[in-house]
Every structure is written in C-alpha cells, then in structure tokens.
Amino acid sequence: MQQLKDNGKRLEAIFARLWKDVKNYCLAVAFFLIYAAAVTFLFGTICPLAAMTGFPCPGCGSTRALFLILTGRFVEAFRYNPCIYLWILLAVYVGWQRYIRGRRAVGALPMAGGIATAMILIYLYRLAVEFPGSPPMVYRTDNVLAGLIPAYDELMRRLFSG
C-alpha cells in the first residue's frame, strides 16, 4: 500500500513539473505557432533563410523528418535531415531528467551544440554535393531577395543551372 502511495506522489510530482512548464512557456509556444502560420502563409515556408534567400538552412527538412518518423518512414526521414534522430534522443534525455527524475539535464547544452555543429557540417556537405537537388536541398525561386532584386534570381539560375 505504501508503494502505491509513493508511486502516486511521484506521478503527481511529474505532472506538477510538466504543468509548470506548460504554464511558463504557453505564451512563447503561441507566438511561435502564430509566426509559423503567418510565415508559411506569406512565404510558403517556415524557414526564414529559405524565404529570404531561396537557400535551405541546416535545419531545413527537420519538420518533415519528424513527421516521417511519426509515420514510420525512418529511412526517408534520415534523407530529409539525419540529425533529427540526435535531436529526438536529446529531447528524450532532457524530458527524462526534467520530468521523471526531477533533475537538471546536465550536459544538454553542449550536446545541443554538438548536434547543431553536426547539422552545419552535414548541410555544408549537402550544399556542395547535392544542391540543388531533391528536397530539402532545393532553391526556392519565390524568395524575398528575388522579388526585391531582379538580377538576384537570374544570377542564381545561372549559378545552379549546371
């Protein structure tokens, strides 16, 4: 009976930490969702770099990769952004430490920095080898700079037409 009480208290503490974070970050999440909807509606992409320049960023393909993982298409997700698996592992680690154990996720920031560095290195490789190619390594012709500077789009077409 005591073990059942202890488990109930642990579960209560987990939900209390989770609820506290939901309350603390709900405004930021709401603003992000509004931003994402507005930018996607206006520019057809959530990525500010792709919207402005037409070039993909190191994170391009991450959202699609996450949806592909959630639908069981793991190889296809890896092709969109291989670092998504590392981000998921980091999120599980941070979530486990924060909510289940009630502790700080020691080393999470350096791990995130390492993953971000890996993303940039993979991006540079893909930019050199695959660009322009299949999504997400494509040039978006409907970018802001092309609308502002007519010569920009022409220059990009000449650079990447072969």
Side-chain angles (χ1 to χ4, degrees):
M1 189 65 163
Q2 182 62 33
Q3 186 178 7
L4 194 57
K5 258 187 191 176
D6 290 344
N7 286 343
K9 286 182 182 181
R10 282 190 199 112
L11 197 57
E12 194 175 296
I14 290 168
F15 282 116
R17 286 189 288 272
L18 186 60
W19 181 246
K20 179 183 174 192
D21 284 354
V22 166
K23 287 192 316 187
N24 286 340
Y25 298 111
C26 71
L27 194 58
V29 170
F31 279 124
F32 174 77
L33 292 174
I34 291 167
Y35 156 82
V39 170
T40 301
F41 176 76
L42 291 172
F43 301 109
T45 180
I46 192 173
C47 178
L49 184 67
M52 287 298 295
T53 67
F55 288 92
C57 74
C60 277
S62 296
T63 304
R64 285 175 279 185
L66 182 60
F67 284 118
L68 289 166
I69 288 169
L70 293 174
T71 58
R73 298 182 293 184
F74 304 109
V75 174
E76 197 175 344
F78 187 85
R79 276 183 274 201
Y80 269 94
N81 199 318
C83 289
I84 192 67
Y85 292 102
L86 299 174
W87 287 117
I88 290 170
L89 288 173
L90 181 61
V92 167
Y93 166 69
V94 169
W96 180 265
Q97 290 296 99
R98 169 84 179 115
Y99 301 112
I100 306 301
R101 298 189 72 203
R103 298 182 180 166
R104 273 187 74 239
V106 177
L109 198 55
M111 284 184 244
I115 297 169
T117 301
M119 283 179 79
I120 291 168
L121 293 173
I122 291 167
Y123 169 74
L124 292 173
Y125 169 79
R126 291 173 81 182
L127 205 55
V129 175
E130 298 175 15
F131 186 80
S134 59
M137 298 307 292
V138 295
Y139 172 71
R140 297 179 56 90
T141 57
D142 59 339
N143 64 74
V144 173
L145 287 179
L148 295 174
I149 309 166
Y152 179 82
D153 195 48
E154 181 60 30
L155 177 63
M156 294 304 118
R157 287 180 196 276
R158 286 185 184 180
L159 283 173
F160 302 116
S161 65

